[in-house]
């Protein structure tokens, strides 16, 4: 099924074939480069109502590398939302200015609401604690790149699994593959129940753990997330720290092919001493945001 003009609101909106098509084009773009004027004349609206470094800059860089123009904002304080305009009204208008909207918003479900307000395709660049499908595409791309496959892998996700939208979307996507999943978190930060139902439906074997040491020697991928303080603590409350702090010693006994991923930003959950070890793959992961988003924009904006 063609991806042209499709909204990307949840990773579940994509079929497995579509996911594979995006990853495959991203692979070609990474190895051979992309046609630099493929999207000449197109306008991408980059609408970020929440802080972002990698997602916004890699979307914008990807668009510019394809010859598109970028308009938008990185701070809702400078938009009419400050005057009380609803998201729906803003999107109705922005949809008439742009060929595609990239939206990040603090509210769960905001991207779907936006997509209902316009015929212009909307990409969810993160909605509250809910979903982050394009991070997941680049996570899948990166797992395949560093392990050579997406099948038969043992993958652990550790940290704030309750509030991390990257974890929610990645879990949904991994349920398409033959993988064994381990979720490591204190009970109060454990994965939401609805995601267990997704894994059960797909016949994925998974288990919950309190400590990394319980599963470390089995792992091919360790996916680390920060404590998502802004999702459950008032802004400004900085005293909470991550329940885990992964050091080189924490990885003692790991398989040689273990690769550590992290959507970034990192705070206190992952020691810098890992950065120059073969385990670290998180900066390569962040760099993959460019070819992956170039592939996605190309497919969404290609003529039917
Ligand atoms: C993530 C996000 O915004 O959800 N960052 C990203 O997009 N690379 C992860 C996070 O903020 O912890």
């Amino acid at each position: 099924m063609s991806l042209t003009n499709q909204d990307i609101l949840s990773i579940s909106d994509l079929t497995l074939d579509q996911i594979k098509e995006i990853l495959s084009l991203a692979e070609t773009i990474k190895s051979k480069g992309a046609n630099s004027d493929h999207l000449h004349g197109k306008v991408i609206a980059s609408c970020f109502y929440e802080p972002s470094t990698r997602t916004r800059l890699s979307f914008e860089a990807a668009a510019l590398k394809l010859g598109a123009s970028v308009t938008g904002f990185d701070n809702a304080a400078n938009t009419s939302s400050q005057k009380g305009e609803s998201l729906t009204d803003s999107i109705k208008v922005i949809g008439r200015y742009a060929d595609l909207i990239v939206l990040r918003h603090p509210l769960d479900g905001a991207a779907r609401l936006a997509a209902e307000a316009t015929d212009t395709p909307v990409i969810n660049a993160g909605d509250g604690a809910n979903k982050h499908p394009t991070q997941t595409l680049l996570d899948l791309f990166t797992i395949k790149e560093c392990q050579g496959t997406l099948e038969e892998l043992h993958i652990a996700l550790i940290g704030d699994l309750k509030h991390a939208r990257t974890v929610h979307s990645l879990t949904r996507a991994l349920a398409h593959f033959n993988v064994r999943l381990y979720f490591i978190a204190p009970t109060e930060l454990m994965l939401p129940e609805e995601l267990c139902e997704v894994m059960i439906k797909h016949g994925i074997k998974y288990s919950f753990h309190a400590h990394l040491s319980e599963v470390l020697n089995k792992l091919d991928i360790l996916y680390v997330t920060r404590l998502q303080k802004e999702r459950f603590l008032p802004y400004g409350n900085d005293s909470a720290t991550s329940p885990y702090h992964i050091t080189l010693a924490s990885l003692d006994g790991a398989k040689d092919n273990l690769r550590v991923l992290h959507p970034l930003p990192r705070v206190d959950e992952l020691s810098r001493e890992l950065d120059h070890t073969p385990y670290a793959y998180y900066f390569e992961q962040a760099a993959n945001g460019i070819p992956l988003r170039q592939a996605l924009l190309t497919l969404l904006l290609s003529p039917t």
Side-chain angles (χ1 to χ4, degrees):
M1 199 172 66
S2 159
L3 279 152
T4 305
N5 283 331
Q6 192 172 320
D7 296 315
I8 308 290
L9 307 178
S10 162
I11 197 73
S12 315
D13 293 342
L14 296 169
T15 64
L16 184 53
D17 282 346
Q18 288 178 321
I19 292 176
K20 287 182 176 165
E21 186 185 1
I22 297 163
L23 300 191
S24 154
L25 181 57
E27 225 170 280
T28 308
I29 290 174
K30 187 165 179 180
S31 61
K32 300 200 183 122
N35 177 349
S36 64
D37 60 3
H38 193 75
L39 296 186
H40 180 74
K42 300 285 185 192
V43 175
I44 311 291
S46 168
C47 305
F48 279 71
Y49 288 81
E50 227 193 18
S52 171
T53 300
R54 277 149 289 271
T55 304
R56 184 174 69 82
L57 271 65
S58 64
F59 257 120
E60 294 185 3
L64 295 172
K65 278 172 179 274
L66 290 163
S69 305
V70 178
T71 185
F73 50 88
D74 60 11
N75 185 347
N78 297 331
T79 72
S80 287
S81 67
Q82 252 340 72
K83 303 178 188 169
E85 183 170 58
S86 68
L87 174 67
T88 306
D89 278 4
S90 299
I91 293 293
K92 270 192 195 343
V93 176
I94 296 168
R96 290 169 194 225
Y97 299 161
D99 298 289
L100 182 145
I101 299 171
V102 178
L103 176 72
R104 171 168 287 191
H105 199 279
L107 292 181
D108 295 22
R112 198 161 291 280
L113 200 67
E116 280 163 13
T118 181
D119 291 334
T120 301
V122 173
I123 298 182
N124 182 2
D127 61 330
N130 193 28
K131 292 174 176 161
H132 196 347
T134 66
Q135 178 69 40
T136 291
L137 290 167
L138 85 86
D139 292 343
L140 293 175
F141 179 85
T142 304
I143 294 172
K144 181 148 186 264
E145 179 179 75
C146 66
Q147 298 294 344
T149 176
L150 281 160
E151 301 289 350
E152 310 285 336
L153 297 174
H154 288 247
I155 300 175
L157 296 94
I158 185 168
D160 182 353
L161 308 183
K162 180 172 181 186
H163 304 100
R165 55 196 175 193
T166 58
V167 166
H168 303 164
S169 291
L170 183 57
T171 302
R172 282 179 198 277
L174 288 172
H176 283 300
F177 301 93
N178 182 17
V179 290
R180 173 69 165 90
L181 299 181
Y182 307 88
F183 297 93
I184 309 168
T187 318
E188 63 279 13
L189 295 177
M190 199 31 104
L191 196 73
E193 180 59 35
E194 62 181 275
L195 289 159
C196 301
E197 286 160 22
V198 172
M199 288 184 287
I200 291 166
K201 192 173 135 211
H202 284 82
I204 297 295
K205 280 205 184 120
Y206 70 94
S207 47
F208 288 170
H209 303 270
H211 304 287
L212 174 60
S213 57
E214 294 168 30
V215 298
L216 177 71
N217 63 1
K218 300 185 174 64
L219 301 181
D220 303 300
I221 294 286
L222 178 62
Y223 190 95
V224 185
T225 58
R226 73 182 168 92
L227 187 65
Q228 308 277 306
K229 287 185 209 183
E230 74 274 30
R231 307 271 172 238
F232 61 100
L233 295 172
Y235 274 98
N237 183 341
D238 277 341
S239 58
T241 54
S242 169
Y244 301 102
H245 178 65
I246 297 166
T247 62
L248 203 46
S250 328
L251 299 187
D252 198 18
K255 296 201 301 187
D256 287 347
N257 71 313
L258 174 75
R259 291 294 173 270
V260 177
L261 302 187
H262 192 311
L264 303 176
R266 132 175 84 181
V267 189
D268 55 348
E269 62 286 350
L270 192 56
S271 167
R272 280 175 179 68
E273 69 187 19
L274 284 179
D275 291 2
H276 299 292
T277 71
Y279 297 126
Y281 211 76
Y282 26 92
F283 292 117
E284 283 83 354
Q285 178 186 9
N288 284 338
I290 299 275
L292 189 285
R293 291 182 167 115
Q294 279 184 286
L296 190 60
L297 294 175
T298 299
L299 292 168
L300 294 182
L301 291 174
S302 287
T304 35

